Amino acid sequence: MSASIGGRGTATSSPVDDRRREILARLDQDGRVEVGVLAVDLGVTEETIRRDLRVLELDGRLRRAHGGAVRVDLDPGQDSGASGALAARALTLVDPGSAVFLGAGSACEALAAGLATTAGTVIVTGSVPVALAAAAAEESAVVHLVGGTADGRGVLTGAWAREQLAGLRLDVAVVEALGVSADGRLLHASPEDAAVVASAVEFASTAILLADPATFGADGLAASVPAARLDVAVVHHGVDEPALEALLATGVRVETVGADA
């Protein structure tokens, strides 16, 4: 379900394929590409270029950076493809045509771009970046942005968000977290974040956690649902060992991706 530079199974090349090949060629040569420069040189909008970069990142071909993208091999972080790898695995766990809640975070943003190409899929989110990632895909799914109070990350929380989620029939809730508390619950940055995640998981038939080594294992202020309530936790190789042990101790089924896991 991830993007293919070779197109949609056809022998002919499309302008989209050609543009993305050119992006990768420039990236291979220079190590970095800039959104503004690509938009001018390739004769498209900056949003089109950002969409291309999102799809290519999901396919593991590059890592998006401020203002553009860099080659995967130039990433100084733990694993530049963590978000894409988590999203790719999550895509296989979501049936086509599902109603899916996506929480905030880079892995959920990457998943949104992949889900948006699946016919009949409905995406519900309180994250503006996640909604934009879905809406910018070439064959956008139906995207519902729940209302609420926005924070500095563009995440909508509060009573309005929880009330709207309570009126929905969700097939799947996919969330991210900062870690697991001593009593086995998922940890989040704020009580507002935790409350929205708890509502989404409560009203979804299936709950999936995506654990990114860049964030999972950090200190969280507020707890939401017991990790045991999850159906599966998809964890990227490199997650902090104590955080992983705390997650395993809850009894949730854990799947590891990345680094030939």
Side-chain angles (χ1 to χ4, degrees):
M1 295 184 66
S2 58
S4 173
I5 298 302
R8 302 176 185 278
T10 63
T12 59
S13 179
S14 72
V16 174
D17 296 330
D18 293 340
R19 188 175 65 246
R20 291 176 182 171
R21 286 194 187 95
E22 177 61 21
I23 291 171
L24 291 174
R26 294 189 184 199
L27 195 63
D28 185 59
Q29 176 178 314
D30 301 327
R32 180 181 176 89
V33 291
E34 301 290 340
V35 170
V37 173
L38 288 171
V40 171
D41 291 352
L42 301 180
V44 295
T45 66
E46 291 191 2
E47 183 51 45
T48 295
I49 295 298
R50 291 190 185 95
R51 179 185 63 203
D52 289 337
L53 298 183
R54 277 191 288 266
V55 173
L56 290 169
E57 182 179 50
L58 183 59
D59 215 31
R61 310 298 293 275
L62 53 78
R63 180 179 67 84
R64 284 183 294 156
H66 181 69
V70 297
R71 290 203 315 256
V72 171
D73 62 297
L74 297 182
D75 178 19
Q78 183 120 34
D79 192 319
S80 61
S83 295
L86 289 166
R89 176 55 184 148
L91 280 171
T92 69
L93 302 174
V94 179
D95 292 333
S98 296
V100 185
F101 172 84
L102 295 179
S106 58
C108 284
E109 185 179 341
L111 178 56
L115 284 174
T117 65
T118 306
T121 297
V122 176
I123 296 173
V124 179
T125 185
S127 167
V128 173
V130 167
L132 289 174
E138 292 174 38
E139 298 179 27
S140 296
V142 175
V143 181
H144 294 285
L145 184 62
V146 299
T149 303
D151 63 15
R153 302 166 298 151
V155 179
L156 302 170
T157 59
W160 286 357
R162 297 194 303 274
E163 288 171 6
Q164 289 179 58
L165 289 173
L168 300 178
R169 295 178 60 188
L170 298 169
D171 296 306
V172 184
V174 183
V175 300
E176 297 188 50
L178 297 180
V180 179
S181 67
D183 62 352
R185 295 191 294 165
L186 299 184
L187 290 171
H188 307 275
S190 71
E192 293 78 16
D193 287 345
V196 169
V197 168
S199 293
V201 171
E202 178 184 355
F203 297 111
S205 298
T206 300
I208 300 170
L209 171 70
L210 303 183
D212 189 324
T215 54
F216 196 77
D219 291 329
L221 176 65
S224 62
V225 297
R229 164 65 179 81
L230 303 169
D231 292 276
V232 61
V234 183
V235 177
H236 197 275
H237 174 79
V239 160
D240 182 67
E241 192 65 32
L244 178 58
E245 290 177 357
L247 183 61
L248 289 168
T250 68
V252 65
R253 178 165 64 91
V254 173
E255 295 187 8
T256 303
V257 299
D260 299 322

